[in-house]
Amino acid sequence: MAKSDYYGTLGVRRDASPEEIKKAYRRLARELHPDVNPDPETQERFKEITQAYEVLSDSGKRQMYDMGADPFSPGGGAGGFGAGFPFSDIMDAFFGAAGAGGGRGPRSRARRGRNATIRVELDLNETAFGTTRELVVDTAVVCEVCSGAGAAPGTHPDTCDMCHGRGEVSQVTRSFLGQVMTSRPCPQCGGFGSIIRHPCQECSGDGRVRTRRTIKVRIPAGVEDGTHIQLAGEGEVGPGGGPPGDLFLEIVERPHEIFERRGDDLHCTVQIPMTAAALGTTLTMETLDGAEELDIRPGTQSGQTIPLYGRGVQRLNETGRGDLMIHVNVETPTRLDAAQEELLRELSRLRGEERPPGRFAPGQQSFFSRLRDAFNGR
């Protein structure tokens, strides 16, 4: 009887490691198992890969096979198909550890609580420099009556009489391989292994109750609209008195009447008359740090930006602050009395800008056209 090519049967190299052989067998077993594919040829193929795996997974049999002997051939020294059969590996390939007899055991009633999110509205000054807030949180806490156990005081959970405390029940079925044992959570106790026959009246057996509590939180400087702050362990307590989840603060920044925030920078607009823009002036400007003097230089144009460095928002988790960007809008008068109009005409003549209507020099504009463009921000 010719020796079988066990390496070729599993599709591995002759120097394949035990882990590679095991992975190859599991992959083929999932494809060729009779429960998946009942075709007779497939069943025969399944027997071949199982036989090959039994030889190559055993160091002694593999050594014998590599030396030219076939443990499954007559006189080869093997006890035939099934001797030392790696049944646990087959069950592990299909059902996991539970299918191979390695039970998971009862699961705990205590589970981690859910995360919670609350919105916190802040003014620009609070987001720029940080603040401290006391927040009222409606959440679940450990039941003080049963201390999270869920059972009424003076009682305790009873061992489930269906699974006998294991939290799972097993079922045996027969196949061509023999008896196959599978496990599933106990339907009577839900996999806990015990039953609370006398639940706590305060929490109805859940181990937690809802209440309101006040927590003090520190809002760091530099947060902005949409920022989420995580407070570990400040969320809801889990069922059965399990560990709490996390609390997330969602920052909502209220609009400011003067400043518009863009990242760490602030922007605002100031209106100045055309005479102030032409001659220059000093304005008192409100900033987050208080009132400051703003120097308007002579000849300032409409649309020009004047920066105040370091007067913006504190950078989050960094040193330094953004800038305050002041956008200048020059106002052009729309109504002039006779005296004012005469003064402007005189200024136009002195600057050589007055021309008869429709007879401007190429590339020039009248003084009033320039004022109009300045007023429109062009």
Side-chain angles (χ1 to χ4, degrees):
M1 187 178 193
K3 186 178 75 167
S4 301
D5 182 8
Y6 293 140
Y7 291 104
T9 300
L10 294 181
V12 297
R13 305 185 311 274
R14 297 190 65 86
D15 60 348
S17 66
E19 185 63 27
E20 291 174 331
I21 293 174
K22 189 172 185 179
K23 288 182 179 179
Y25 170 69
R26 289 187 176 184
R27 176 178 53 81
L28 293 172
R30 291 189 181 96
E31 298 174 0
L32 303 174
H33 192 276
D35 291 345
V36 178
N37 194 334
D39 180 70
E41 294 184 2
T42 303
Q43 294 184 18
E44 188 64 28
R45 172 73 172 144
F46 181 74
K47 292 180 181 180
E48 292 176 1
I49 66 167
T50 303
Q51 180 175 304
Y53 179 67
E54 181 181 349
V55 174
L56 300 183
S57 63
D58 185 290
S59 59
K61 293 179 181 179
R62 183 177 181 179
Q63 183 178 10
M64 182 189 303
Y65 175 77
D66 290 340
M67 294 176 63
D70 188 345
F72 281 98
S73 64
F81 181 77
F85 186 73
F87 186 75
S88 62
D89 288 315
I90 297 180
M91 294 300 101
D92 197 18
F94 291 97
F95 309 106
R104 293 163 299 203
R107 60 190 182 100
S108 174
R109 294 183 184 274
R111 301 192 301 276
R112 186 179 185 274
R114 296 183 303 176
N115 297 333
T117 301
I118 60 175
R119 292 161 60 92
V120 181
E121 293 189 1
L122 301 174
D123 294 326
L124 178 59
N125 283 67
E126 293 175 311
T127 59
F129 302 118
T131 185
T132 300
R133 282 290 187 90
E134 287 190 351
L135 304 177
V136 178
V137 182
D138 184 5
T139 185
V141 297
V142 175
C143 176
E144 296 182 355
V145 175
C146 66
S147 300
T155 67
H156 55 81
D158 296 332
T159 301
C160 176
D161 54 10
M162 177 176 286
C163 66
H164 305 290
R166 294 192 303 271
E168 59 185 15
V169 292
S170 301
Q171 182 179 6
V172 178
T173 58
R174 297 186 62 83
S175 72
F176 83 98
L177 294 174
Q179 293 183 341
V180 178
M181 179 179 295
T182 59
S183 300
R184 59 187 177 90
C186 175
Q188 179 167 291
C189 66
F192 296 117
S194 61
I195 299 175
I196 300 178
R197 303 191 186 278
H198 305 284
C200 172
Q201 295 184 357
E202 181 69 18
C203 64
S204 301
D206 191 41
R208 56 181 183 169
V209 294
R210 300 202 70 84
T211 187
R212 288 187 175 181
R213 58 191 179 97
T214 302
I215 60 174
K216 181 179 290 188
V217 297
R218 172 65 183 169
I219 308 295
V223 296
E224 58 184 317
D225 191 77
T227 299
H228 284 75
I229 301 175
Q230 181 179 7
L231 303 178
E234 294 292 347
E236 290 192 349
V237 168
D246 299 333
L247 177 63
F248 291 88
L249 308 183
E250 181 183 355
I251 302 300
V252 178
E253 187 177 83
R254 300 188 188 100
H256 195 273
E257 59 182 2
I258 299 176
F259 303 116
E260 176 189 354
R261 180 174 177 180
R262 303 176 191 173
D264 297 326
D265 295 333
L266 299 177
H267 295 256
C268 70
T269 300
V270 295
Q271 306 281 350
I272 61 174
M274 67 173 189
T275 52
L279 300 175
T281 187
T282 300
L283 301 178
T284 300
M285 182 70 195
E286 286 295 330
T287 71
L288 295 181
D289 302 282
E292 293 193 19
E293 297 295 323
L294 178 65
D295 183 29
I296 303 294
R297 296 181 179 180
T300 297
Q301 302 297 308
S302 186
Q304 187 172 335
T305 300
I306 302 175
L308 291 182
Y309 298 109
R311 293 296 185 270
V313 176
Q314 172 68 43
R315 294 187 175 90
L316 182 63
N317 299 326
E318 296 181 18
T319 58
R321 295 171 57 180
D323 303 323
L324 173 58
M325 312 300 291
I326 303 171
H327 303 274
V328 178
N329 188 15
V330 178
E331 295 178 328
T332 302
T334 57
R335 293 183 180 180
L336 299 173
D337 59 25
Q340 293 171 342
E341 183 175 348
E342 180 58 31
L343 287 174
L344 286 178
R345 290 188 183 279
E346 178 63 22
L347 176 61
S348 178
R349 286 192 295 268
L350 291 175
R351 291 177 57 84
E353 296 173 339
E354 186 179 48
R355 296 290 187 274
R359 298 178 60 183
F360 299 118
Q364 284 190 318
Q365 289 180 299
S366 71
F367 178 71
F368 292 103
S369 296
R370 293 172 62 187
L371 290 179
R372 183 184 67 246
D373 290 346
F375 177 72
N376 292 328
R378 294 186 300 200

